[in-house]
Amino acid sequence: MNKILRVEGGAPLEGAIEVRGAKNFVPKAMVASLLGETQSQLRNVPQIRDVDVVSDLLSAHGVKVQYDAERGVLDLDPTNVELAARSDIDALSGSSRIPILFCGPLLHRLGEAFIPELGGCNIGGRPIDFHLETLRRFGAQIDKRPEGVYITAPRGLRGTVVELPYPSVGATEQTLLTAVQAEGITTLKGAAVEPEITDLINVLQKMGAIISVDTDRTVRIEGVDRLRGFEHTALPDRIEAASWGAAALATHGDVFVRGAHQPDMTTFLNTFRKVGGEFEIRENGIRFYHPGGSLKPIVLETNVHPGFMTDWQQPLVVALTQADGLSLVHETVYENRFGFTSALRKMGANIQLYKECVGGVPCRFGQRNFYHSAVISGPTPLHGADIWVPDLRGGFSHLIAALAAQGVSNVSGIEVISRGYEHFMQKLRQLHAHVEYV
């Protein structure tokens, strides 16, 4: 059953919370453990639903998984990897797009893999066709059937040249996980270089991979015959840290995010300060707070790293509804990411969406009929409303709006937030939010 969260807004969030390992890294490192011949240990692992999904998928493939959630330690033993039953993959994969990344490791270990229909948040196109074409380049054979895609590699996988038309994180991960044991050298051009990608490369190098990264987004991977297990501490979740920072700003609050890491958040911190927020960098985290006075409007464009991250955009938009003037936000990563703004308008925000590129140079969505630009006029008082969570990041943004609004909001579909925000209800109570399930 879908739970409904009752939120009594209008009070500042104040206190301290902790973020652990990044949702956009931890599941990928878990998949990488399939490549090793010995046991791996991953530390700083958050207790989120995506970790549970990948743990179940690994278990279905014969990996022995032991998770100490309190300590955040995950032990993975891939000694007895086997092909999972198709029914198990179907049952476990519905809410995740991670299974596509199992293909390379399974082809190396077992010579075959299966991909069911994939789920995930409805924020724009994430086609698997490019993943499949990449696997073909390595020598895999693809057999599309109504129930899913069967992939085999009867002659093994060989190094190749992959040139990405856009620095896709998922396509970069797919190439890395496939290339590390492919025969010969793989050259990946136009790669994503997000911190989570760098940490995945760190893990693979610990396992015995040979990977070099050039300044022009070119990655070269020299295939090796054997990989061992790894021990690694996951980098902290910069998306969750920024989300709590935006919540502090929108509610006129003061939140210390233990574990937040400045080097991975430089672009967000600069923008946060331009809007009128303040922060204090400490040895063990970052304090985000509203210093008083009016917030300032900005012109903002999302982009791949080192640009302003698309996942930071939605929480910050809530704060921009309280800025004194006109803000322009141009989304260039996911074409449908502004669907969450309908709930904000219902709560009193003045947000107009446009198909044209605003605030900067044209992007790849400019001529494709997508509402991918927003004009936000503020400040507008927000009031409580009954709202439905559309996706993970949009859902947390709805939660921020409900906390900032005057009155009571009833938020449905709240469970999706647990995909990427560890113990978010506990953290809300630590910050003295007035929330309860009804």
Side-chain angles (χ1 to χ4, degrees), residues 361-429:
V361 298
C363 77
R364 60 198 176 120
F365 304 138
Q367 303 300 321
R368 294 175 58 190
N369 212 35
F370 296 115
Y371 288 97
H372 70 294
S373 296
V375 177
I376 306 154
S377 180
T380 51
L382 301 180
H383 55 77
D386 294 340
I387 52 179
W388 174 265
V389 167
D391 58 67
L392 174 60
R393 305 304 173 188
F396 198 86
S397 301
H398 286 178
L399 187 55
I400 295 174
L403 292 164
Q406 294 295 326
V408 173
S409 296
N410 293 305
V411 186
S412 302
I414 200 75
E415 294 87 352
V416 72
I417 293 177
S418 66
R419 275 192 56 211
Y421 293 86
E422 181 183 38
H423 305 316
F424 73 93
M425 278 294 291
Q426 176 184 324
K427 292 175 183 178
L428 286 170
R429 292 183 176 124

Side-chain angles (χ1 to χ4, degrees), residues 63-287:
V63 178
K64 185 178 180 181
V65 180
Q66 293 182 312
Y67 180 34
D68 185 333
E70 184 175 346
R71 293 173 54 231
V73 176
L74 189 64
D75 291 302
L76 304 157
D77 185 351
T79 304
N80 299 311
V81 170
E82 60 186 9
L83 194 65
R86 198 190 77 194
S87 58
D88 289 340
I89 301 176
D90 282 335
L92 296 170
S93 301
S95 62
S96 174
R97 292 177 180 266
I98 291 294
I100 187 68
L101 297 180
F102 274 64
C103 295
L106 288 176
L107 289 172
H108 286 303
R109 293 296 301 269
L110 304 174
E112 58 182 317
F114 169 76
I115 310 170
E117 290 291 327
L118 300 179
C121 294
N122 183 23
I123 55 176
R126 294 177 174 181
I128 69 167
D129 288 346
F130 194 84
H131 289 266
L132 299 180
E133 178 57 32
T134 297
L135 292 168
R136 283 194 187 97
R137 286 178 172 272
F138 282 98
Q141 294 184 3
I142 311 297
D143 181 11
K144 292 185 178 181
R145 302 180 188 176
E147 66 271 22
V149 182
Y150 291 86
I151 307 171
T152 57
R155 298 181 180 178
L157 300 177
R158 301 176 300 279
T160 186
V161 176
V162 178
E163 187 163 2
L164 301 182
Y166 184 78
S168 162
V169 169
T172 299
E173 292 163 343
Q174 179 70 263
T175 304
L176 288 169
L177 291 168
T178 305
V180 285
Q181 283 193 287
E183 181 183 349
I185 295 175
T186 297
T187 301
L188 172 60
K189 300 179 180 180
V193 293
E194 273 69 7
E196 294 81 7
I197 293 289
T198 299
D199 219 23
L200 180 60
I201 291 174
N202 292 340
V203 163
L204 293 170
Q205 188 179 58
K206 286 182 177 182
M207 298 177 75
I210 301 173
I211 305 172
S212 62
V213 183
D214 295 341
T215 55
D216 63 350
R217 294 184 178 270
T218 298
V219 180
R220 290 180 175 84
I221 308 104
E222 184 176 336
V224 297
D225 292 331
R226 306 177 70 177
L227 293 171
R228 56 186 172 270
F230 63 84
E231 291 188 9
H232 189 76
T233 299
L235 81 169
D237 197 311
R238 62 193 176 119
I239 305 173
E240 182 181 0
S243 297
W244 290 112
L249 189 60
T251 63
H252 288 245
D254 189 334
V255 176
F256 176 63
V257 183
R258 189 176 298 108
H261 191 218
Q262 180 190 12
D264 298 335
M265 299 184 66
T266 301
T267 305
F268 176 82
L269 294 172
N270 286 337
T271 304
F272 190 83
R273 182 166 279 163
K274 288 178 182 178
V275 174
E278 260 305 341
F279 57 87
E280 176 188 337
I281 306 298
R282 299 180 184 174
E283 185 176 348
N284 62 339
I286 302 175
R287 173 194 171 205

Side-chain angles (χ1 to χ4, degrees), residues 26 30 33 39-46 51-52 54-56 58-59 62-78:
V26 168
M30 294 170 67
S33 72
Q39 181 171 309
S40 292
Q41 184 178 88
L42 187 60
R43 297 179 290 271
N44 200 31
V45 177
V51 168
D52 294 336
V54 179
S55 294
D56 289 343
L58 288 171
S59 296
V63 178
K64 185 178 180 181
V65 180
Q66 293 182 312
Y67 180 34
D68 185 333
E70 184 175 346
R71 293 173 54 231
V73 176
L74 189 64
D75 291 302
L76 304 157
D77 185 351

